[in-house]
Amino acid sequence: MSAGRAAAAAVLSALLAAPAAAALRRPDATAKKELSAAITLYHRLDLNAALARFDAAIARVPGWKTAAGFRASCRWTLGDKAGARADAQTASRLIPDDARSYAARGRARMILGDDDGALADFRAAAKADPGSVEGPLGEGSVLSARGQAREALKPLNAAVVDDPGSAAALLMRGAVRERLRDFAGAAQDYGGVLAVNPAFSWAALYRGRALREIKDYRGADAALGQFLAAHPEHEDAYYLRGNVRYLLGDYQGAERDLTKVISLDPRKGLAYSNRGLARAELGDKPGAVADLRKAMELDPSRRDKIQAAIDAIAPAPAASDAPPADDPGALRPPSSGAAPAPDAA
């Protein structure tokens, strides 16, 4: 065979072999099972376990675009923005043919900043499978990211109906309800997240914040305690619980929490002012005034308000309390051995 014919045969052979090679890369039943398990874990917000399953699925089928789209969301939520964008680039080349692949491409497009394309994909996913959570959850996520909270609520309600066990859908709806100042609804959704996955402790922080807004201070105290058990150095949670405990009349608890905040951030003026008020309630007037003066030093823009609090705790002596001018005690001689001031003469 001539060199030219040999080269042509090699090219033809490669072309004929390509479909077979592609067929070998198609997801088999095991890979599909891995992907389904990963998506279930993602919806439970068991994110590290979900990532391990996504990795396993893609290891079985390198370049699997649908799996890459879902893994992109998982990586993004875990803070791996570079990995998420790499997966999103892969998934953006998908040609969807079912609800799951439309949703995967929608997730990728959202991460890449193509909100219009993502919205179209999520709506196509909902049309392809009206019973799937993926379409309405994705649509609600895009609308929420655009700042259209009220418009996002309808698809998110549908997502929760489609899958009441999706902690991801409950978390997103809770955030939207909180933004719409439906704090009772938000607290309910965050509680639902914890019912699905008690280990997702961030929902306890969000729930505590919402409960405080509806003046359920005991519930807020319990939720924030649950969060702090998992995150014992979280400054904002201690500050919020200190506020809640003050409102409950637990001034000792408030003082302890605010002391912890100050240990974490010695420049936080609000922590000093709030601790000062708690110390005043405990009868520690010197400690209260010292805290309020420190707060004034750190936050001079609140000087008038803080000074009013100081005056309420330790009023300045009334003018009638001062000794009269002709009282010998009004002008005291220098102490023994002290020199008079240079301008005394």
Side-chain angles (χ1 to χ4, degrees), residues 151-176:
E151 294 84 348
L153 199 54
K154 182 177 178 180
L156 290 172
N157 285 339
V160 173
V161 169
D162 289 337
D163 186 357
S166 172
L170 288 164
L171 184 68
M172 179 60 67
R173 190 175 70 173
V176 167

Side-chain angles (χ1 to χ4, degrees), residues 52-66:
R53 287 295 190 104
F54 284 127
D55 288 345
I58 292 172
R60 290 188 66 86
V61 187
W64 189 3
K65 299 181 185 68
T66 300

Side-chain angles (χ1 to χ4, degrees), residues 29 44 52 67 72 79 94 101 105 136 152 177 206 210 213 224 261 301 307 310 317 323 336:
R44 280 181 48 82
L94 252 170
S101 55
R105 191 175 70 176
R177 283 176 156 177
Y206 309 148
E213 293 291 338
L224 293 166
V261 173
S301 66
Q307 185 62 55
I310 293 173
S336 176

Side-chain angles (χ1 to χ4, degrees), residues 106 112 115 156 206 241:
L112 295 173
D115 286 352
L156 290 172
Y206 309 148
R241 192 175 69 173

Side-chain angles (χ1 to χ4, degrees), residues 96-341:
D97 58 2
D98 61 9
R100 182 172 282 184
S101 55
Y102 271 113
R105 191 175 70 176
R107 287 170 180 267
R109 285 176 161 177
M110 189 175 176
I111 286 170
L112 295 173
D114 178 8
D115 286 352
D116 289 338
L119 200 57
D121 276 343
F122 289 129
R123 286 172 175 166
K127 186 175 180 180
D129 184 356
S132 170
V133 68
E134 302 298 345
L137 173 56
E139 180 179 356
S141 299
V142 174
L143 293 173
S144 174
R146 284 180 163 180
Q148 298 172 255
R150 198 162 298 281
E151 294 84 348
L153 199 54
K154 182 177 178 180
L156 290 172
N157 285 339
V160 173
V161 169
D162 289 337
D163 186 357
S166 172
L170 288 164
L171 184 68
M172 179 60 67
R173 190 175 70 173
V176 167
R177 283 176 156 177
E178 191 172 359
R179 202 174 308 155
L180 292 170
R181 303 191 67 77
D182 175 11
F183 297 113
Q188 182 180 22
D189 278 345
Y190 296 140
V193 172
L194 292 166
V196 173
N197 181 6
F200 190 76
S201 56
W202 290 96
L205 173 62
Y206 309 148
R207 184 167 184 266
R209 188 172 62 199
L211 290 170
R212 182 207 175 281
E213 293 291 338
I214 60 173
K215 297 181 170 55
D216 181 357
Y217 300 133
R218 293 199 182 281
D221 186 29
L224 293 166
Q226 180 181 352
F227 174 76
L228 284 166
H231 303 270
E233 300 297 310
H234 197 279
E235 175 191 327
D236 289 344
Y238 277 110
Y239 179 80
L240 183 58
R241 192 175 69 173
N243 175 266
V244 165
R245 287 181 164 178
Y246 183 91
L247 292 168
L248 280 169
D250 177 9
Y251 303 120
Q252 286 185 332
E255 183 190 30
R256 283 195 302 271
D257 280 349
L258 292 163
T259 297
K260 179 67 174 180
V261 173
I262 290 166
S263 75
L264 294 168
D265 181 4
R267 304 291 301 172
K268 192 174 184 72
L270 283 170
Y272 282 100
S273 59
N274 288 0
R275 189 177 70 173
L277 297 176
R279 285 179 164 174
E281 295 289 350
L282 291 168
D284 178 8
K285 289 187 178 181
V289 171
D291 273 349
L292 289 165
R293 286 178 175 158
K294 182 66 174 179
M296 191 186 299
E297 173 193 325
L298 293 170
D299 191 1
S301 66
R302 299 175 61 242
R303 174 178 295 277
D304 291 347
K305 188 172 184 179
I306 295 171
Q307 185 62 55
I310 293 173
D311 293 343
I313 294 166
S320 59
D321 294 338
D326 58 354
D327 184 344
L331 297 172
R332 301 183 185 279
S335 59
S336 176

Side-chain angles (χ1 to χ4, degrees), residues 14-28 60-62 65:
L15 290 172
L16 292 172
L24 292 175
R25 291 194 297 271
R26 292 183 64 82
D28 58 15
R60 290 188 66 86
V61 187
K65 299 181 185 68

Side-chain angles (χ1 to χ4, degrees), residues 27-48:
D28 58 15
T30 302
K32 290 178 180 178
K33 186 176 179 180
E34 287 283 6
L35 179 59
S36 294
I39 292 171
T40 297
L41 289 167
Y42 178 83
H43 277 283
R44 280 181 48 82
L45 297 174
D46 194 349
L47 299 173
N48 288 308

